[in-house]
Amino acid sequence: MHRKEILAKLAAGEISLEEADRLLAELGPELPPLTCKVSPKGAVSVYGLQRMPVTLYADQWFRLLEFGEQIRAFIERHRAQLRWREKGEMTEKLASPESGADTHGASSTASDPHETSQGTCA
């Protein structure tokens, strides 16, 4: 159930305030929406991930987006070593069985040519 559905049921009197509070707490914190803007220097700035925007030039974004699957695989292999700032949809998506995530921890050996034994991603 989504936040809006819970609030609609509360407004309609279908659930109590306590039940709505419990359901909303289970959903966790609502993450701010991600937005893009063109920076004064002509780069793309993404807002909503952290306090300051993440800013890259268009060609850098395309390069990073093409590398996305390798980043996901790296995160899955090193799950036990990584910290998560927000518990939410992405954490659940990576942990789901259909994602192929390793839920028993990360391997300590480097099997990717872009990865070192220290667990960095080039």
Side-chain angles (χ1 to χ4, degrees):
M1 191 178 316
H2 297 290
R3 208 170 288 285
K4 286 183 180 182
E5 293 171 315
I6 295 168
L7 295 175
K9 287 185 179 214
L10 177 64
E14 296 175 20
I15 59 174
S16 68
L17 181 59
E18 292 79 18
E19 179 69 8
D21 191 41
R22 184 187 65 76
L23 291 170
L24 289 171
E26 286 177 7
L27 289 177
E30 188 170 351
L31 300 176
L34 298 179
T35 59
C36 295
K37 293 182 181 178
V38 177
S39 76
K41 293 185 177 182
V44 178
S45 296
V46 176
Y47 291 79
L49 286 171
Q50 56 189 17
R51 188 171 57 88
M52 298 296 289
V54 177
T55 303
L56 299 171
Y57 290 102
D59 58 304
Q60 293 173 308
W61 279 112
F62 280 119
R63 187 172 175 209
L64 182 62
L65 292 169
E66 288 171 1
F67 193 62
E69 286 304 314
Q70 289 91 332
I71 295 171
R72 283 185 183 91
F74 178 86
I75 290 169
E76 289 171 3
R77 283 192 309 276
H78 297 278
R79 172 178 291 284
Q81 298 165 292
L82 299 172
R83 293 181 59 198
W84 300 87
R85 291 193 58 205
E86 300 284 342
K87 298 260 185 210
E89 182 180 323
M90 186 55 67
T91 306
E92 292 167 8
K93 183 183 277 188
L94 288 172
S96 69
E98 60 267 8
S99 73
D102 178 12
T103 57
H104 300 293
S107 169
S108 62
T109 60
S111 60
D112 187 294
H114 298 289
E115 180 181 329
T116 69
S117 60
Q118 285 79 34
T120 58
C121 189

